[in-house]
Amino acid sequence: MDVSQNIELFQELVRCGGEISLWRYDGSGNLLSSNCSEEAVFAAAFSISGSRERMLAHAAAQDTPVLLGSGLGLVWGAAFEKREGKLYRAYVLGPVFFSDVAIQQIKNGLAAYDGEAAMAWKVRFIEHIKQVPAAQHILFSRYLLMLHYCLTGERLDASGLAIQNQPTPGGQAQPGEEKAFRDRYMVWSAERSLLHMVRTGDLNYKSVFSNSAMLSNGVPLENAAPMRQEKNSVIVFCSIVCRAAIEGGLSPEEAYSLGDFYIQSAENAKTLDELTAIPTLMYDDFIRRVHRCRTNPKLSPAVQKCCDYIEMNLAEKIRAADLAALVGYGEYYITRKFKEETGFFINDYVKFAKIERAKVLLQNTQMSVQEISEQLGFTTRSYFARSFREVTGMSPTEFREKR
């Protein structure tokens, strides 16, 4: 394979998503080239933080790409080209930040390197730190996996990434602990807002949800593969949202059943794309259920049970006879009672509930219209499209494009 052409293409692809520098080192760790405008400043940061030595040690033992954290808050990613089992070239992406970093926190971090770096370098480093881009953990990890493929032709998923954080020297406080406390306070504040919106069934949650997703990389575990770490984060998030929904009025039976479904979906996920769609679907689902529960407080237990059953079984063909058997009433009686309390005939309510779910899937997943139709139990795609248009005034494809 022509590595040089692959690297050129890779750089063009990365440039489409932002400016992240790419560095090239030889097998001994000597810098050969980079496209960083302040090469000397950030090459020194890579070396002084110990990231270069950790990169070489990792390359000597493993072939997999590695994420390298530092006490300065900077993150690099390294992938390797080997010949006859030995390191020939190391390609380094970065540096980037995974979250906003205050200048004062950077200065505090630099103090730990006193005596190892010249004062002039520290001044220049502070001057140019604003050039370091912020990147999402998942996106940066994907870039690194792409770089590995360009060098080796090997396809890896996120579980193939190694992660190394800078060790704490001498057991002393790690530079940036104040920042970690600050970031965690922000995460806690965002979490409190998110859970409040679940408790109140607030449908205007999307901007808050989107902003909060940028504050945390999830549950931090030492030596955990990214895929496992993401799964743990989804499971924790699902658990706390489930409890908030119960506090908002959702029945424990429905809430725990729904939570179990999404937790199992997270465990079954095979790719990051599949996994990262789950929190949005789960959060939207709980919000809407709490909203319906709070806006229909006068539903009788029997009709509420019917509504819960419909929401939990959208993939099935639901008939009035099924609901009658569920609550122990006659079919005529439950049909009339359902219409009196909800304002809908059972068949219409089922159709509207399925279409509402379809809207969420169209907005937040890459599932095809055919796949959504099948998942929601429509007999044919054309019937699904016709039902969708009756409710929304547009086709599923038009809805997805507009959203």
Side-chain angles (χ1 to χ4, degrees), residues 269-304:
K270 304 299 185 198
T271 67
L272 273 175
D273 283 336
E274 184 181 351
L275 182 59
T276 52
I278 292 173
T280 304
L281 290 172
M282 178 273 299
Y283 189 77
D284 182 273
D285 203 349
F286 272 109
I287 285 269
R288 292 182 183 280
R289 289 170 191 263
V290 173
H291 177 77
R292 282 193 289 270
C293 178
R294 292 175 69 87
T295 53
N296 293 280
K298 296 182 179 180
L299 292 184
S300 65
V303 172
Q304 183 64 63

Side-chain angles (χ1 to χ4, degrees), residues 155-217:
R155 297 178 186 273
L156 294 178
D157 60 23
S159 63
L161 281 180
I163 302 176
Q164 289 190 12
N165 293 313
Q166 185 177 30
T168 303
Q172 299 176 352
Q174 184 77 354
E177 281 188 351
E178 289 183 44
K179 172 192 168 302
F181 176 80
R182 167 178 160 270
D183 285 350
R184 284 168 184 166
Y185 180 82
M186 293 172 65
V187 170
W188 174 77
S189 297
E191 179 183 296
R192 186 170 60 173
S193 298
L194 288 173
L195 296 183
H196 174 74
M197 299 185 95
V198 175
R199 295 185 190 100
T200 58
D202 190 342
L203 297 179
N204 298 312
Y205 69 85
K206 292 189 177 179
S207 61
V208 174
F209 184 85
S210 178
N211 291 335
S212 67
M214 301 295 291
L215 292 176
S216 173
N217 293 319

